[in-house]
Amino acid sequence: MTLHLPIGGSTAARTLACPAWLKKSENVPKRPAGEAAMMGSMHHAVQEKCQRENTAPNEHTGFIYEEAKHRYIFNSGLRDDDLDLSNRVYNATNALMDELDIDDIEIESFVQLVEGLAGGTLDLLGLSLDRKHMLALDYKFGQTPVDATENAQLLFCLVAARMDPATTDLFKEAESFTLAIIQPKLAAVPLRWTCRVKELDEFEARIGEAIKKATGKKERPGTPGKHCDWCPAAPYCTEKRTSIASALKLDPKSHNALNVSAGLVEEVEAWVKTVKEEMFLQMTKGVVIDGWKIVEKQPRRKWLDENRAEIALRGTRLRVKDIIQKKLITAPAALKLLKQRKIEIDLNRFIEKVSTGTTIAPENDKRDAVVVTDVVGHLAKIM
């Protein structure tokens, strides 16, 4: 079971940006982990077993991951897609360790920067054969892109590992450090960034100062920003509400205001989602929130017994072709099925990718920008 301290690797970036979050979150109940998070934990556990036992993912069929009241079973019934995900992580991890000549590894090491207050767990900490290079590796099984460059979570865990008596000896001769993120749903190769002792020292000073501010007696105002996305205090934070209220006053028809508003779109959407999740959690516990109630989701009609329903419909004057539908499966479904059955056939000549239209996306989105021209305006000038 992974230990969790008040300040951890996953909250390091937030602590640097807004030390006030810690005190603001003290009396906020923790939200239960969702299914996606639990599945991610299961995949983490499988990788841990592979590295500890020098085995491959397919050798762990029948492995049971258990946490709290949730249970996910890694057995012969596992979908091929899930096993493929584990294999991608396993292969990428081993390839990276081979490339960096990693000889000594620590798996799922819990390390502390400030005992009982600040610390975290590294998925894998590795030291090269010549003892001069270290690897700090983190697995991400979600689809939200995570950058390895100056990654606060990995830097935090490295600083903690350098401070912790259990791992401090590994750093005696280390001169450089590779921070790596393996995110199999987005890429088959790790994202990485390499730094030296100087950068580690600078980060240690910054996070140390932030921890002092976060734990000091002085009440500090919150500092709203992108780091609020996963903050438990976000639905209750006065400064965050003020920031959102200010954004609502911007006139989207004004070009200057629109530029400012565009930078806040994702932040506002994330905050609204967080507030609704917190409302639902509190209301299911009996808390009354003015103007809101819990209702059943929109019901969908489905057959209780499809065979008996078909017999009843065949007994009417309806034609068989009207009640029994036959349709080719979609292209993505066909490609997935072929991959599962390990059948090789080139379907590309039967497939085209057709956009359903345009939409907006942040600049870091991997899709190419669409060039938009004022066709009507140009035609008016020509005429």
Side-chain angles (χ1 to χ4, degrees):
M1 180 79 66
T2 302
L3 298 176
H4 295 283
L5 295 180
I7 298 174
S10 61
T11 61
R14 187 193 308 153
T15 304
L16 287 167
C18 178
W21 83 268
L22 189 63
K23 288 190 180 297
K24 285 177 174 288
S25 304
E26 282 179 349
N27 298 316
V28 177
K30 292 183 179 179
R31 296 179 207 164
E35 184 175 339
M38 294 295 294
M39 287 299 292
S41 296
M42 184 270 287
H43 277 296
H44 272 87
V46 171
Q47 295 303 317
E48 180 181 354
K49 286 182 73 67
C50 288
Q51 294 300 331
R52 286 192 188 281
E53 301 169 16
N54 195 25
T55 52
N58 59 7
E59 296 180 60
H60 294 289
T61 53
F63 166 72
I64 296 175
Y65 172 77
E66 197 170 11
E67 182 177 332
K69 296 180 181 178
H70 300 276
R71 175 176 288 194
Y72 290 99
I73 302 177
F74 191 80
N75 57 24
S76 58
L78 182 75
R79 297 192 310 266
D80 284 347
D81 284 351
D82 291 332
L83 187 56
D84 181 56
L85 204 67
S86 286
N87 282 328
R88 259 183 278 169
V89 175
Y90 175 75
N91 293 334
T93 300
N94 289 335
L96 183 59
M97 288 198 296
D98 288 344
E99 179 188 336
L100 299 177
D101 197 22
I102 299 299
D103 179 62
D104 189 4
I105 63 172
E106 294 284 337
I107 308 296
E108 292 290 331
S109 293
F110 178 72
V111 290
Q112 297 191 70
L113 180 59
V114 181
E115 189 173 356
L117 173 65
T121 303
L122 271 166
D123 289 336
L124 187 147
L125 178 66
L127 181 62
S128 63
L129 184 61
D130 64 5
R131 319 286 295 178
K132 295 186 181 301
H133 189 81
M134 295 194 73
L135 167 66
L137 177 61
D138 190 42
Y139 302 129
K140 299 292 184 186
F141 289 95
Q143 294 184 326
T144 302
V146 180
D147 193 0
T149 304
E150 298 181 357
N151 184 280
Q153 179 175 356
L154 286 172
L155 284 169
F156 175 89
C157 288
L158 269 176
V159 166
R162 187 169 66 168
M163 187 79 69
D164 197 296
T167 49
T168 189
D169 284 348
L170 297 173
F171 289 78
K172 284 183 177 179
E173 300 175 53
E175 298 175 354
S176 57
F177 310 86
T178 290
L179 280 59
I181 301 286
I182 294 180
Q183 200 164 5
K185 289 186 178 179
L186 298 183
V189 296
L191 293 177
R192 63 173 91 177
W193 177 71
T194 300
C195 66
R196 301 189 74 80
V197 176
K198 178 185 175 184
E199 285 89 351
L200 215 55
D201 290 341
E202 290 173 350
F203 183 85
E204 182 177 334
R206 287 172 53 215
I207 195 66
E209 184 62 28
I211 291 173
K212 284 181 183 177
K213 290 179 180 178
T215 56
K217 293 182 179 180
K218 181 181 177 181
E219 285 289 332
R220 296 180 177 276
T223 309
K226 189 74 173 64
H227 49 270
C228 298
D229 286 2
W230 302 103
C231 180
Y236 305 94
C237 180
T238 302
E239 290 77 21
K240 185 66 177 180
R241 286 200 306 273
T242 302
S243 172
I244 298 297
S246 299
L248 293 175
K249 293 177 182 178
L250 294 169
D251 180 7
K253 294 181 181 179
S254 162
H255 181 71
N256 289 335
L258 183 59
N259 276 326
V260 177
S261 302
L264 296 170
V265 168
E266 289 184 300
E267 189 179 325
V268 172
E269 287 177 341
W271 179 79
V272 170
K273 182 174 180 289
T274 300
V275 170
K276 284 190 171 182
E277 287 173 352
E278 185 67 17
M279 287 169 59
F280 181 77
L281 175 64
Q282 295 302 329
M283 291 174 73
T284 55
K285 293 180 178 179
V287 176
V288 176
I289 296 179
D290 293 342
W292 291 85
K293 61 183 178 181
I294 293 179
V295 297
E296 293 286 349
K297 290 184 178 180
Q298 183 67 35
R300 296 287 183 265
R301 296 185 182 94
K302 64 178 184 179
W303 299 118
L304 288 171
D305 187 322
E306 193 171 308
N307 292 330
R308 293 178 66 182
E310 181 183 336
I311 292 171
L313 285 169
R314 284 180 180 272
T316 67
R317 288 178 294 172
L318 291 174
R319 294 175 298 179
V320 173
K321 69 176 185 178
D322 291 330
I323 62 174
I324 304 295
Q325 294 182 345
K326 187 176 180 181
K327 187 177 180 181
L328 185 66
I329 62 175
T330 64
L335 292 170
K336 182 178 179 180
L337 187 61
L338 289 168
K339 184 177 180 180
Q340 290 174 346
R341 302 286 174 83
K342 295 181 172 57
I343 299 173
E344 293 187 9
I345 180 176
D346 184 11
L347 291 180
N348 289 329
R349 57 198 171 113
F350 304 115
I351 297 173
E352 65 173 345
K353 288 185 178 181
V354 181
S355 173
T356 56
T358 54
T359 185
I360 59 173
E363 281 192 4
N364 60 4
D365 190 281
K366 292 184 177 181
R367 291 167 292 184
D368 292 332
V370 175
V371 178
V372 179
T373 56
D374 183 6
V375 178
V376 176
H378 284 303
L379 282 174
K381 289 180 181 179
I382 293 170
M383 294 302 291

